[in-house]
Amino acid sequence: MATNSEAWQDIAKTKREATNGLIPEDWRIKSPVPPVEQQRDVTGEYICQYLSKREVEITETDAVEIVKHTTTGQWTAEEVIKAFCHRASLAHQLVNCLLEIFFDAAIEDARRLDKYYAQHNAPVGPLHGLPVSLKDQFHVKGVETSMGYVGWIGTFQGEKGTGREKVYESEMVKELRGMGAVLYCKTSVPHTLMAGETVNNITGYTWNPKNRHLSCGGSSGGEGALISLKGSPVGFGTDIGGSIRIPAAFNGLYGLRPSSGRLPYEGMANSMDGQNSVLSVVGPLSHSIPSLRLMVKSILSQKPWLHDPLVHEIPWRGELEKQALDIIGSTQSDSGKLAFGILRHDGLVGTHPPVQRALDMMVKTLEKRGHKIIDWSPPSHERGLDIVLKTWMYDGGADVHKAFGLSGEPIAPQVSSTYGTEPWGEMNASEIAATNVAKREYQKDYMEYWNSTEDVTGTGRPVDGVIAPVAPFAAAIPNRYRYYGYSTIINVLDYTSCVIPVTTADQRIDLVDEEYEPISNQDKETAESYNPAIFDGANVALQLIGRRLQEEKVLALAEYIGDSLKE
């Protein structure tokens, strides 16, 4: 552990160089990457120039199709993982998205899978040979978990001599391995995890591959950037305020924020561990809904409730999926309709023109399909956001400042804007209890508002879901992500939510609204951050919100809506 400001820089540099040194010489980009002014978008053809045709074929294939090939012996696990390791190494060189590289161990794991298949003519499990990337909260044998903290390097979550260093594994890691997944890298995060941009003193800033003027999001930003560049077919992030959905949206991906207790979080590193009022959840990001469904169904098949005391004993419920699809497929006009609430403005901060256009596109698409759209006017979001912010402050910043104090490293402004530069007074038990009561009452009021929409949908049911922005903008300008209300409100409600890519920003049509009148200084600051030329080409996405523990239904509806938008 570092003892002075000079030492933290040396430790971070050594770690950074060690990680980069694990990229094989043949995979290193020899010429400098052009500046953003010359090459804004490094996805697609740009990154593919460094790959062979066969590598492109493999890495452009989604997770569902990959396992169809690897579980039947058509593709070897070794060939697949090598292709993704190569592409992941390129992604890192382009946008700084990896904290941990363990390609050699992954290739050895893949060879063992191929040997097993050769001997048994059968796969190890449903994910046999599938590369899976992980946010740097997961503990993996032989690999460090720094979570972006310089002071955690060479330790187990900031402590030395625990006996867990590089040998302990998180519960989901064990389950993924048991099903044949191949783990090969861990992705960058903002130190503390509590920011919508990805920046730390080890890897630096992680950029948005589609538009390198902008952020890749956070805190699962490394995952979002890596998967956007197809250096991974599917990966897992976490979400306590939007940290799956923000990177999914900014990178043009689908991302599922399940309700707490659906998927196993046991044994993962975290900030403010023990704060149980608003729990962080783990969920997948990928380019397709079938890929997300594959991962959720596979994890649930392992009965994670037997090994994680916080997981509900809820297997995959195909009947919920079928109910949603039966409604869509019904030929009767009323019963075949879905109904959605649409949230255009949360009463606190408005959205940029590209997001407004995405909302218009969504409404037009759903109405064209005959579905009902109603304006969503729920209980005050400001009330809900005040509650969740208190939960992040229970310990007065003690946990995060302790981690920074291990090395003396500086705190990124994206984090210090929330947590300051030193801890303050902790809340007492009575204040925490009062916050929990306020949360329960807010959830109840929101629940009853949702129920009340049965009177206006015309379907005999309350709305089937709510369409809302994920953030006020398509993606954040570095160090200008100030408002998290659109994503964080879902965490205090603990609703299921899935991000759906909609379009890309277009400076020719997404013009500045000169007549927009901000309702607050924060709203004014957000509106003024919009520059059509800077945002041009950025991904624009929305979220589909369902009720608690409705992952099967939300995924089915998200797939239907996503497919409808493409037609």
Side-chain angles (χ1 to χ4, degrees):
M1 300 181 197
T3 57
N4 56 63
S5 60
E6 199 64 36
W8 77 258
Q9 294 172 328
D10 294 337
I11 293 171
K13 181 182 179 183
T14 298
K15 177 65 176 179
R16 181 168 55 251
E17 291 177 348
T19 299
N20 294 339
L22 293 170
I23 297 174
E25 185 65 33
D26 291 348
W27 293 354
R28 296 183 186 179
I29 298 174
K30 302 302 188 289
S31 56
V33 178
V36 63
E37 292 78 15
Q38 296 178 22
Q39 188 65 46
R40 177 177 298 208
D41 181 356
V42 293
T43 65
E45 290 183 2
Y46 188 85
I47 191 171
C48 285
Q49 69 179 300
Y50 302 107
L51 299 164
S52 69
K53 288 183 179 180
R54 178 61 170 163
E55 287 173 325
V56 171
E57 177 189 4
I58 291 171
T59 55
E60 295 280 325
T61 304
D62 82 351
V64 173
E65 290 301 313
I66 288 172
V67 296
K68 284 181 181 178
H69 287 82
T70 54
T71 59
T72 55
Q74 297 175 64
W75 289 356
T76 66
E78 182 177 357
E79 182 182 28
V80 171
I81 193 59
K82 283 183 174 178
F84 277 101
C85 286
H86 187 187
R87 192 154 180 163
S89 73
L90 296 171
H92 179 56
Q93 292 171 79
L94 293 172
V95 295
N96 296 335
C97 56
L98 302 183
L99 266 168
E100 299 290 339
I101 288 172
F102 40 107
F103 297 160
D104 290 344
I107 292 167
E108 285 302 313
D109 288 343
R111 287 170 178 161
R112 281 192 286 271
L113 290 171
D114 290 336
K115 184 177 180 181
Y116 181 94
Y117 192 94
Q119 292 175 342
H120 300 87
N121 196 32
V124 166
L127 304 182
H128 182 103
L130 177 67
V132 176
S133 53
L134 301 171
K135 183 179 186 178
D136 191 38
Q137 285 180 260
F138 290 85
H139 290 295
V140 178
K141 286 181 181 177
V143 184
E144 286 192 323
T145 302
S146 70
M147 217 168 75
Y149 288 124
V150 175
W152 278 25
I153 295 170
T155 75
F156 182 82
Q157 298 181 183
E159 297 184 15
K160 288 189 173 182
T162 66
R164 291 183 164 193
E165 292 89 339
K166 293 190 176 182
V167 296
Y168 181 80
E169 288 205 315
S170 304
E171 186 58 40
M172 188 181 285
V173 170
K174 298 175 187 176
E175 294 172 359
L176 290 168
R177 287 194 193 279
M179 292 183 287
V182 183
L183 312 176
Y184 62 112
C185 63
K186 292 202 293 176
T187 50
S188 193
V189 298
H191 48 210
T192 73
L193 311 176
M194 304 300 289
E197 301 171 56
T198 294
V199 58
N200 59 66
N201 293 314
I202 302 171
T203 53
Y205 198 90
T206 305
W207 297 95
N208 189 312
K210 185 70 174 173
N211 182 334
R212 291 189 297 148
H213 284 297
L214 305 173
S215 168
C216 66
S219 61
S220 310
E223 279 299 311
L226 178 67
I227 299 169
S228 172
L229 285 162
K230 298 190 176 177
S232 169
V234 65
F236 280 94
T238 63
D239 193 314
I240 195 174
S243 292
I244 290 170
R245 290 162 291 147
I246 293 165
F250 289 8
N251 292 285
L253 306 173
Y254 291 92
L256 177 69
R257 184 243 180 242
S259 294
S260 61
R262 196 69 205 272
L263 296 178
Y265 210 104
E266 176 66 24
M268 291 172 60
N270 203 3
S271 284
M272 301 167 293
D273 194 17
Q275 180 282 106
N276 288 351
S277 297
V278 176
L279 289 170
S280 177
V281 299
V282 59
L285 301 85
S286 190
H287 284 276
S288 72
I289 291 292
S291 296
L292 303 186
R293 185 182 293 116
L294 169 69
M295 302 313 291
V296 175
K297 288 183 71 172
S298 297
I299 291 292
L300 293 179
S301 75
Q302 301 303 293
K303 301 181 179 179
W305 48 86
L306 296 179
H307 301 283
D308 184 336
L310 296 185
V311 172
H312 304 297
E313 188 173 345
I314 306 177
W316 178 264
R317 298 164 296 179
E319 65 273 15
L320 292 186
E321 209 175 11
K322 185 176 184 299
Q323 287 171 12
L325 296 175
D326 285 348
I327 292 171
I328 295 168
S330 174
T331 57
Q332 300 177 32
S333 58
D334 286 338
S335 61
K337 281 197 308 186
L338 295 168
F340 297 95
I342 187 86
L343 180 70
R344 292 183 177 274
H345 195 298
D346 69 353
L348 295 168
V349 171
T351 57
H352 283 183
V355 179
Q356 295 166 19
R357 181 166 60 87
L359 288 163
D360 290 340
M361 290 173 64
M362 183 72 80
V363 169
K364 182 178 180 180
T365 297
L366 291 172
E367 287 184 336
K368 184 178 179 181
R369 292 291 184 115
H371 303 303
K372 176 81 171 183
I373 301 295
I374 67 168
D375 289 330
W376 192 246
S377 303
S380 165
H381 277 201
E382 184 174 19
R383 176 182 158 203
L385 296 173
D386 285 345
I387 293 167
V388 72
L389 186 60
K390 287 179 181 177
T391 70
W392 295 350
M393 305 298 175
Y394 279 167
D395 72 347
D399 178 69
V400 300
H401 287 292
K402 177 184 176 183
F404 286 121
L406 293 172
S407 67
E409 64 179 307
I411 307 172
Q414 291 88 343
V415 174
S416 63
S417 61
T418 301
Y419 286 97
T421 56
E422 58 185 24
W424 60 97
E426 299 186 19
M427 294 177 69
N428 62 38
S430 296
E431 291 170 323
I432 293 171
T435 302
N436 287 333
V437 170
K439 184 195 77 166
R440 186 180 71 234
E441 291 174 344
Y442 183 72
Q443 289 175 325
K444 168 67 172 173
D445 289 348
Y446 216 101
M447 177 186 291
E448 295 301 347
Y449 170 72
W450 193 305
N451 293 337
S452 74
T453 61
E454 180 179 352
D455 298 334
V456 294
T457 60
T459 64
R461 307 181 308 275
V463 294
D464 296 287
V466 178
I467 305 294
V470 177
F473 25 66
I477 292 174
N479 204 26
R480 296 195 70 177
Y481 202 155
R482 299 283 188 267
Y483 182 70
Y484 296 98
Y486 286 101
S487 59
T488 301
I489 196 69
I490 307 308
N491 297 82
V492 73
L493 294 166
D494 197 24
Y495 285 164
T496 305
S497 175
C498 187
V499 170
I500 302 172
V502 178
T503 186
T504 55
D506 188 335
Q507 63 180 331
R508 298 168 299 178
I509 54 179
D510 297 321
L511 306 178
V512 173
D513 183 358
E514 302 290 354
E515 298 181 358
Y516 183 74
E517 296 184 4
I519 60 176
S520 67
N521 287 335
Q522 192 170 50
D523 190 19
K524 182 174 184 289
E525 181 183 354
T526 300
E528 289 177 348
S529 72
Y530 180 61
N531 180 326
I534 292 294
F535 281 86
D536 190 50
N539 295 299
V540 188
L542 301 172
Q543 60 181 328
L544 169 67
I545 304 159
R547 301 181 106 160
R548 286 189 69 240
L549 299 167
Q550 295 294 301
E551 289 73 29
E552 296 90 345
K553 178 181 180 180
V554 167
L555 286 173
L557 293 180
E559 184 173 22
Y560 168 73
I561 294 170
D563 289 345
S564 299
L565 286 165
K566 295 171 186 174
E567 293 179 2

